[in-house]
CSV table of all heavy atoms in Angstrom, one decimal:
chain,number,residue,atom,x,y,z
G,34,LEU,N,-1.9,-8.6,4.2
G,34,LEU,CA,-3.0,-9.6,3.8
G,34,LEU,C,-2.9,-10.8,4.6
G,34,LEU,O,-3.9,-11.3,5.1
G,34,LEU,CB,-2.7,-9.9,2.2
G,34,LEU,CG,-3.5,-11.1,1.7
G,34,LEU,CD1,-5.0,-10.9,1.7
G,34,LEU,CD2,-3.0,-11.6,0.4
G,119,ALA,N,-10.2,-22.8,2.9
G,119,ALA,CA,-9.5,-22.8,1.6
G,119,ALA,C,-9.1,-21.3,1.4
G,119,ALA,O,-9.7,-20.4,1.9
G,119,ALA,CB,-10.5,-23.2,0.5
G,120,VAL,N,-7.9,-21.1,0.7
G,120,VAL,CA,-7.5,-19.9,0.2
G,120,VAL,C,-7.1,-19.9,-1.1
G,120,VAL,O,-6.6,-20.9,-1.7
G,120,VAL,CB,-6.3,-19.4,1.2
G,120,VAL,CG1,-6.6,-19.2,2.6
G,120,VAL,CG2,-5.0,-20.2,1.0
G,121,SER,N,-7.3,-18.8,-1.9
G,121,SER,CA,-6.8,-18.6,-3.2
G,121,SER,C,-6.3,-17.2,-3.2
G,121,SER,O,-7.1,-16.3,-3.3
G,121,SER,CB,-7.8,-19.0,-4.3
G,121,SER,OG,-8.9,-18.1,-4.2
G,122,PHE,N,-5.1,-17.1,-3.2
G,122,PHE,CA,-4.4,-15.7,-3.1
G,122,PHE,C,-3.8,-15.4,-4.5
G,122,PHE,O,-2.8,-16.0,-4.9
G,122,PHE,CB,-3.4,-15.6,-2.0
G,122,PHE,CG,-4.0,-15.6,-0.6
G,122,PHE,CD1,-3.2,-16.0,0.5
G,122,PHE,CD2,-5.3,-15.2,-0.4
G,122,PHE,CE1,-3.7,-16.0,1.7
G,122,PHE,CE2,-5.8,-15.2,0.9
G,122,PHE,CZ,-5.0,-15.6,2.0
G,123,LEU,N,-4.3,-14.3,-5.1
G,123,LEU,CA,-3.8,-13.8,-6.4
G,123,LEU,C,-3.9,-14.8,-7.4
G,123,LEU,O,-3.0,-15.1,-8.2
G,123,LEU,CB,-2.4,-13.3,-6.2
G,123,LEU,CG,-2.3,-12.3,-5.1
G,123,LEU,CD1,-0.8,-12.0,-4.8
G,123,LEU,CD2,-3.1,-11.0,-5.3
G,124,VAL,N,-5.1,-15.5,-7.5
G,124,VAL,CA,-5.2,-16.7,-8.5
G,124,VAL,C,-6.4,-16.4,-9.4
G,124,VAL,O,-6.4,-16.3,-10.6
G,124,VAL,CB,-5.4,-18.0,-7.8
G,124,VAL,CG1,-5.6,-19.1,-8.7
G,124,VAL,CG2,-4.2,-18.3,-6.9
G,125,SER,N,-7.6,-16.1,-8.7
G,125,SER,CA,-8.9,-16.2,-9.6
G,125,SER,C,-8.9,-14.9,-10.5
G,125,SER,O,-9.6,-15.0,-11.5
G,125,SER,CB,-10.1,-16.3,-8.6
G,125,SER,OG,-10.7,-15.0,-8.3
G,126,HIS,N,-8.1,-13.9,-10.2
G,126,HIS,CA,-8.2,-12.8,-11.2
G,126,HIS,C,-7.6,-13.1,-12.5
G,126,HIS,O,-7.8,-12.4,-13.5
G,126,HIS,CB,-7.4,-11.5,-10.5
G,126,HIS,CG,-6.0,-11.7,-10.2
G,126,HIS,ND1,-5.4,-11.2,-9.1
G,126,HIS,CD2,-5.0,-12.4,-10.8
G,126,HIS,CE1,-4.1,-11.5,-9.1
G,126,HIS,NE2,-3.8,-12.3,-10.1
G,134,ARG,N,-14.9,-18.3,-13.9
G,134,ARG,CA,-14.4,-17.9,-12.6
G,134,ARG,C,-15.4,-18.4,-11.6
G,134,ARG,O,-15.1,-18.8,-10.5
G,134,ARG,CB,-14.3,-16.3,-12.6
G,134,ARG,CG,-13.6,-15.8,-11.4
G,134,ARG,CD,-13.2,-14.4,-11.5
G,134,ARG,NE,-12.5,-13.9,-10.5
G,134,ARG,CZ,-12.0,-12.6,-10.3
G,134,ARG,NH1,-12.2,-11.8,-11.3
G,134,ARG,NH2,-11.3,-12.2,-9.3
G,137,PHE,N,-14.8,-21.9,-10.8
G,137,PHE,CA,-13.6,-22.0,-10.0
G,137,PHE,C,-14.1,-21.9,-8.5
G,137,PHE,O,-13.8,-22.7,-7.6
G,137,PHE,CB,-12.6,-21.0,-10.3
G,137,PHE,CG,-11.5,-20.9,-9.4
G,137,PHE,CD1,-10.3,-21.7,-9.5
G,137,PHE,CD2,-11.4,-19.9,-8.4
G,137,PHE,CE1,-9.2,-21.7,-8.7
G,137,PHE,CE2,-10.3,-19.8,-7.5
G,137,PHE,CZ,-9.2,-20.7,-7.7
G,138,PHE,N,-14.9,-20.8,-8.2
G,138,PHE,CA,-15.3,-20.6,-6.8
G,138,PHE,C,-16.3,-21.8,-6.4
G,138,PHE,O,-16.2,-22.3,-5.3
G,138,PHE,CB,-16.1,-19.3,-6.7
G,138,PHE,CG,-15.3,-18.1,-6.9
G,138,PHE,CD1,-15.8,-17.0,-7.6
G,138,PHE,CD2,-14.1,-17.9,-6.3
G,138,PHE,CE1,-15.0,-15.8,-7.8
G,138,PHE,CE2,-13.4,-16.8,-6.4
G,138,PHE,CZ,-13.8,-15.7,-7.2
G,141,ILE,N,-14.3,-24.9,-5.5
G,141,ILE,CA,-13.7,-24.8,-4.1
G,141,ILE,C,-14.8,-25.0,-3.1
G,141,ILE,O,-14.6,-25.8,-2.1
G,141,ILE,CB,-13.1,-23.4,-3.9
G,141,ILE,CG1,-11.8,-23.4,-4.8
G,141,ILE,CG2,-12.7,-23.1,-2.5
G,141,ILE,CD1,-11.0,-22.0,-4.8
G,151,TYR,N,-13.6,-19.5,3.5
G,151,TYR,CA,-12.8,-19.4,2.2
G,151,TYR,C,-12.3,-18.0,2.1
G,151,TYR,O,-13.1,-17.1,2.3
G,151,TYR,CB,-13.7,-19.8,1.0
G,151,TYR,CG,-13.1,-19.4,-0.3
G,151,TYR,CD1,-11.8,-19.8,-0.7
G,151,TYR,CD2,-13.9,-18.7,-1.3
G,151,TYR,CE1,-11.3,-19.5,-1.9
G,151,TYR,CE2,-13.3,-18.4,-2.6
G,151,TYR,CZ,-12.0,-18.8,-2.9
G,151,TYR,OH,-11.5,-18.5,-4.0
G,152,LEU,N,-11.1,-17.8,1.9
G,152,LEU,CA,-10.5,-16.4,1.6
G,152,LEU,C,-10.0,-16.4,0.2
G,152,LEU,O,-9.3,-17.3,-0.3
G,152,LEU,CB,-9.3,-16.2,2.5
G,152,LEU,CG,-9.4,-16.4,4.1
G,152,LEU,CD1,-8.2,-16.0,4.8
G,152,LEU,CD2,-10.7,-15.7,4.6
G,153,THR,N,-10.3,-15.3,-0.5
G,153,THR,CA,-9.8,-15.1,-1.8
G,153,THR,C,-9.2,-13.6,-1.9
G,153,THR,O,-9.9,-12.7,-1.3
G,153,THR,CB,-10.7,-15.4,-3.0
G,153,THR,OG1,-10.1,-15.2,-4.2
G,153,THR,CG2,-12.0,-14.5,-2.8
G,154,ALA,N,-8.0,-13.5,-2.4
G,154,ALA,CA,-7.4,-12.2,-2.6
G,154,ALA,C,-7.1,-12.0,-4.1
G,154,ALA,O,-6.6,-12.9,-4.7
G,154,ALA,CB,-6.1,-12.1,-1.8
G,155,ASP,N,-7.6,-10.9,-4.6
G,155,ASP,CA,-7.5,-10.8,-6.1
G,155,ASP,C,-7.3,-9.3,-6.4
G,155,ASP,O,-7.7,-8.4,-5.7
G,155,ASP,CB,-8.8,-11.3,-6.7
G,155,ASP,CG,-9.0,-12.7,-6.6
G,155,ASP,OD1,-8.2,-13.5,-7.1
G,155,ASP,OD2,-9.9,-13.1,-5.9
G,205,VAL,N,-17.2,-9.6,-8.5
G,205,VAL,CA,-16.5,-10.7,-7.8
G,205,VAL,C,-17.4,-11.2,-6.6
G,205,VAL,O,-17.6,-12.4,-6.5
G,205,VAL,CB,-15.1,-10.3,-7.3
G,205,VAL,CG1,-14.4,-11.4,-6.6
G,205,VAL,CG2,-14.2,-10.0,-8.6
G,209,ILE,N,-18.9,-14.9,-6.1
G,209,ILE,CA,-18.6,-15.9,-4.9
G,209,ILE,C,-19.9,-16.3,-4.2
G,209,ILE,O,-20.2,-17.4,-4.0
G,209,ILE,CB,-17.7,-15.0,-3.9
G,209,ILE,CG1,-16.4,-14.7,-4.4
G,209,ILE,CG2,-17.6,-15.9,-2.6
G,209,ILE,CD1,-15.5,-13.7,-3.6
G,217,PRO,N,-19.9,-12.7,0.9
G,217,PRO,CA,-18.5,-12.4,1.3
G,217,PRO,C,-18.3,-11.1,2.0
G,217,PRO,O,-19.0,-10.1,1.7
G,217,PRO,CB,-17.7,-12.5,0.0
G,217,PRO,CG,-18.7,-12.3,-1.1
G,217,PRO,CD,-20.1,-12.6,-0.6
G,218,ILE,N,-17.3,-11.0,2.9
G,218,ILE,CA,-16.9,-9.8,3.5
G,218,ILE,C,-15.6,-9.4,3.0
G,218,ILE,O,-14.6,-10.1,3.0
G,218,ILE,CB,-16.7,-10.1,5.0
G,218,ILE,CG1,-18.0,-10.7,5.6
G,218,ILE,CG2,-16.2,-8.9,5.8
G,218,ILE,CD1,-17.7,-11.4,6.9
G,220,PHE,N,-12.3,-7.9,3.6
G,220,PHE,CA,-11.7,-7.6,5.0
G,220,PHE,C,-10.3,-7.0,4.7
G,220,PHE,O,-9.7,-6.7,5.7
G,220,PHE,CB,-11.5,-9.0,5.7
G,220,PHE,CG,-10.5,-10.0,5.1
G,220,PHE,CD1,-9.2,-10.0,5.4
G,220,PHE,CD2,-11.0,-11.0,4.3
G,220,PHE,CE1,-8.3,-11.0,4.8
G,220,PHE,CE2,-10.2,-11.9,3.7
G,220,PHE,CZ,-8.8,-11.9,4.0
G,227,ARG,N,-7.6,-6.8,-3.3
G,227,ARG,CA,-8.7,-6.9,-2.3
G,227,ARG,C,-8.8,-8.3,-1.8
G,227,ARG,O,-8.6,-9.3,-2.6
G,227,ARG,CB,-10.1,-6.5,-2.9
G,227,ARG,CG,-10.1,-5.0,-3.3
G,227,ARG,CD,-11.4,-4.7,-4.0
G,227,ARG,NE,-11.4,-3.4,-4.6
G,227,ARG,CZ,-12.2,-2.4,-4.2
G,227,ARG,NH1,-13.2,-2.6,-3.3
G,227,ARG,NH2,-12.2,-1.2,-4.8
G,228,ALA,N,-9.3,-8.5,-0.6
G,228,ALA,CA,-9.4,-9.9,-0.1
G,228,ALA,C,-10.8,-10.0,0.6
G,228,ALA,O,-11.2,-9.0,1.2
G,228,ALA,CB,-8.4,-10.2,0.9
G,229,TRP,N,-11.4,-11.1,0.2
G,229,TRP,CA,-12.7,-11.4,0.8
G,229,TRP,C,-12.7,-12.7,1.6
G,229,TRP,O,-12.0,-13.6,1.3
G,229,TRP,CB,-13.8,-11.6,-0.3
G,229,TRP,CG,-14.1,-10.4,-1.1
G,229,TRP,CD1,-15.1,-9.4,-0.8
G,229,TRP,CD2,-13.5,-9.9,-2.3
G,229,TRP,NE1,-15.1,-8.5,-1.8
G,229,TRP,CE2,-14.2,-8.7,-2.7
G,229,TRP,CE3,-12.4,-10.4,-3.1
G,229,TRP,CZ2,-13.8,-8.0,-3.9
G,229,TRP,CZ3,-12.1,-9.6,-4.3
G,229,TRP,CH2,-12.7,-8.5,-4.5
G,230,ALA,N,-13.5,-12.8,2.6
G,230,ALA,CA,-13.7,-14.0,3.4
G,230,ALA,C,-15.2,-14.4,3.2
G,230,ALA,O,-16.1,-13.5,3.2
G,230,ALA,CB,-13.5,-13.6,4.9
G,231,ALA,N,-15.5,-15.7,3.0
G,231,ALA,CA,-16.8,-16.1,2.7
G,231,ALA,C,-16.9,-17.5,3.5
G,231,ALA,O,-16.0,-18.2,3.6
G,231,ALA,CB,-17.1,-16.4,1.2
Side-chain angles (χ1 to χ4, degrees):
L34 165 67
V120 298
S121 61
F122 289 157
L123 307 173
V124 178
S125 93
H126 59 217
R134 192 169 183 180
F137 173 84
F138 293 137
I141 289 178
Y151 170 49
L152 308 184
T153 183
D155 292 294
V205 174
I209 296 170
I218 300 160
F220 67 91
R227 293 172 188 248
W229 290 272

